[in-house]
Amino acid sequence: MRLSAYFLPLIRENPAQAEIVSHRLMLRAGMIRQSSAGIYSWLPLGFRVLQKVEQIVREEQNRAGAQEVLMPTIQPAELWRESGRYDDYGKEMLRIKDRHEREMLYGPTNEEQITEIFRSSAKSYRDVPKILYHIQWKFRDEVRPRFGVMRGREFLMKDAYSFDLDFAGAKRAYNKMFVAYLRTFARMGLKAIPMRAESGPIGGDLSHEFIILAQTGESAVYCDKRWLETDILAATVNYESDLEPFFQKWTQLYAATDDKHDPKACPVPKEELVEARGIEVGHIFYFGTKYSKPLNATVTGPNGETMAVEMGSYGIGVSRLVGAIIEASHDENGIVWPEAVAPFRVALINLRAADEKCCAAADDLYRKLQLAGADVLYDDRDESPGAKFATMDLIGLPWQLTVGPRGLNQGVVELKDRKTGKREELSPEAALNKLSAR
């Protein structure tokens, strides 16, 4: 994509209403624009990141054996009355009526809807186990939406739901999602630490939240420093096998949120304990028959008995993750995207748009990078070099490939690693080979 044709409305100064780094940088980098309090439009650059995050989430859910569905944003109130949550949920739920005065709601979550889908179709113990998920927009009318996409009213969420015959089956599903979550966040370049959590309004008695460390995190967290040395992706995972050893391995290292941490009872010596700030990026729950019983989601067991299915739910804030990644990966000049979620992989910069030799070399590299399958944003604008470098540093693409008259006279271009700041001069062919090989 040529930057001269790209819709990238940058903001030079920090917006006054933005309180945290990710909100400031997403606004400045032209990723989002506020529509109303806590509700945002996603512009081309931001939407590309959102789609990449969503795709990684989808791939890991599919790998774990979950099956994708798509449920509506608008749900009937009677379903929530069956579960007993319609009056209990509070003002965060947006309640509406259609033209026939039927009570509806904009879904803040989907336990009721998915349970209704399951109960209308599953009849026998042979119909379980199942894990169904979808990626859909949700709405919760927060009292004070703030921090941009980190705590908005409308947000994109992946929520999965498991259905099993007994606790043993439900725990197997829980373990699958537990491992899938660790892999999902690791693929995005994040170190997500599972911590025991309260289930809150979802219900249940087994719950973990996945928290990434960031200086600007919402809450204090404590963990064994060995957590920082773990490599989740190094382990080979077979989702058809017993994953309890994985669960035990990744929960035996101490990790606790502020409300769970007791300094006097902490088993980790102070010098081995990391005290940091954290951001929640995912939450998983086992809640047994909390929804299946009131909603009559039952199957006939192997001996002909009627059994309420055991359930769990598993959420990832997809749009929230975009902000969380920025909170964990930025510097004084802007965003530093991990390659897996970067909107473009390569920033190609033509330092002298009026120079025929520079344009020819940059155009040639642009064409060859595209043919090699590299995602390129080509700055072909007639702007100063300083403005071009500032733009590319702000939007944080992993690699910056710079073509300038001085370098071309010496037969070289400059390649910069945005994360480390390391620069090297290479021939155009060597730079192309290096970028194409990754």
Side-chain angles (χ1 to χ4, degrees):
M1 174 60 70
R2 290 177 179 268
L3 189 50
S4 59
Y6 198 57
F7 184 59
L8 187 67
L10 302 178
I11 298 175
R12 291 184 179 275
E13 303 298 328
N14 284 327
Q17 76 273 26
E19 302 175 60
I20 61 172
V21 170
S22 61
H23 193 192
R24 289 198 297 270
L25 290 177
M26 290 182 78
L27 288 170
R28 287 193 57 210
M31 293 178 65
I32 57 171
R33 284 295 179 267
Q34 182 169 306
S35 172
S36 59
I39 300 176
Y40 294 86
S41 296
W42 289 75
L43 306 186
L45 194 78
F47 191 48
R48 288 178 71 94
V49 179
L50 187 67
Q51 288 178 306
K52 292 194 174 186
V53 169
E54 179 182 340
Q55 186 57 26
I56 291 174
V57 171
R58 176 176 287 111
E59 288 170 2
E60 291 301 324
Q61 288 293 290
N62 293 346
R63 186 172 284 119
Q67 301 173 58
E68 188 170 8
V69 300
L70 184 61
M71 290 177 277
T73 56
I74 304 298
Q75 302 178 28
E78 58 261 29
L79 267 181
W80 284 67
R81 287 201 170 95
E82 282 188 64
S83 71
R85 285 207 299 174
Y86 185 73
D87 294 319
D88 294 343
Y89 202 89
K91 291 184 177 181
E92 287 77 23
M93 182 191 290
L94 182 62
R95 295 164 169 84
I96 56 180
K97 289 184 179 181
D98 67 13
R99 66 194 301 162
H100 302 292
E101 294 299 308
R102 288 177 295 219
E103 292 182 292
M104 312 290 283
L105 59 98
Y106 194 124
T109 184
N110 281 78
E111 282 78 13
E112 285 80 0
Q113 187 74 69
I114 197 69
T115 305
E116 192 280 328
I117 291 171
F118 180 84
R119 77 180 180 188
S120 67
S121 306
K123 305 301 179 186
S124 165
Y125 69 95
R126 295 186 180 88
D127 295 323
V128 294
K130 291 288 187 297
I131 303 176
L132 305 175
Y133 79 97
H134 81 155
I135 300 173
Q136 179 63 289
W137 291 95
K138 290 182 168 52
F139 184 89
R140 294 177 189 169
D141 198 2
E142 298 281 351
V143 175
R144 189 187 174 198
R146 51 199 302 229
F147 305 149
V149 301
M150 294 289 289
R151 190 176 295 173
R153 293 193 296 165
E154 186 182 59
F155 52 95
L156 187 62
M157 185 174 178
K158 186 285 303 183
D159 41 325
Y161 303 91
S162 60
F163 301 88
D164 288 275
L165 200 61
D166 52 25
F167 174 75
K171 186 59 166 66
R172 283 192 293 271
Y174 190 93
N175 289 349
K176 285 183 179 183
M177 290 295 102
F178 182 91
V179 174
Y181 273 40
L182 289 175
R183 287 184 51 82
T184 296
F185 301 128
R187 283 187 59 191
M188 296 176 192
L190 298 171
K191 179 73 69 177
I193 304 173
M195 302 189 183
R196 278 275 186 173
E198 299 294 342
S199 295
I202 299 295
D205 54 10
L206 175 60
S207 176
H208 284 85
E209 55 188 354
F210 293 77
I211 292 179
I212 63 169
L213 305 185
Q215 291 182 347
T216 52
E218 306 160 296
S219 57
V221 294
Y222 303 83
C223 69
D224 189 316
K225 74 176 185 181
R226 287 178 293 174
W227 253 115
L228 307 184
E229 302 162 5
T230 58
D231 183 1
I232 302 298
L233 297 177
T236 300
V237 177
N238 176 7
Y239 283 104
E240 299 304 314
S241 66
D242 179 14
L243 295 177
E244 185 65 21
F246 280 89
F247 177 81
Q248 295 297 331
K249 177 181 179 180
W250 299 117
T251 54
Q252 67 181 357
L253 292 178
Y254 182 79
T257 54
D258 189 40
D259 59 331
K260 294 278 187 179
H261 177 68
D262 181 355
K264 295 179 181 178
C266 180
V268 182
K270 188 173 182 179
E271 62 273 14
E272 301 293 320
L273 187 68
V274 174
E275 301 181 31
R277 308 293 297 177
I279 298 171
E280 181 192 333
V281 290
H283 208 152
I284 62 177
F285 310 85
Y286 159 74
F287 45 67
T289 59
K290 176 180 173 65
Y291 297 96
S292 59
K293 280 188 174 179
L295 289 164
N296 199 32
T298 61
V299 295
T300 301
N303 298 316
E305 70 277 35
T306 299
M307 305 177 68
V309 292
E310 300 271 337
M311 294 176 58
S313 73
Y314 316 90
I316 290 178
V318 178
S319 53
R320 177 184 174 86
L321 260 172
V322 177
I325 291 168
I326 296 172
E327 292 291 332
S329 187
H330 66 273
D331 61 20
E332 66 276 8
N333 295 317
I335 303 165
V336 182
W337 289 116
E339 284 205 29
V341 296
F344 296 90
R345 186 161 163 266
V346 180
L348 175 60
I349 303 171
N350 179 357
L351 285 185
R352 195 73 60 81
D355 186 298
E356 290 185 9
K357 187 177 179 182
C358 282
C359 287
D363 286 352
D364 185 58
L365 277 170
Y366 179 51
R367 180 180 59 83
K368 289 177 178 176
L369 282 166
Q370 287 183 310
L371 289 173
D375 237 354
V376 188
L377 183 61
Y378 174 20
D379 193 343
D380 59 338
R381 301 172 302 164
D382 186 15
E383 296 278 356
S384 70
K388 294 189 175 193
F389 288 135
T391 294
M392 291 307 183
D393 278 349
L394 173 62
I395 66 176
L397 308 186
W399 296 96
Q400 293 179 11
L401 182 59
T402 303
V403 178
R406 183 192 63 80
L408 287 179
N409 287 336
Q410 300 172 15
V412 297
V413 292
E414 182 184 84
L415 184 62
K416 173 185 170 183
D417 183 331
R418 176 68 179 87
K419 183 176 181 180
T420 65
K422 180 183 176 182
R423 303 169 189 263
E424 56 182 328
E425 291 188 336
L426 303 166
S427 69
E429 293 75 18
L432 180 64
N433 290 337
K434 185 168 184 175
L435 291 170
S436 301
R438 298 181 65 86

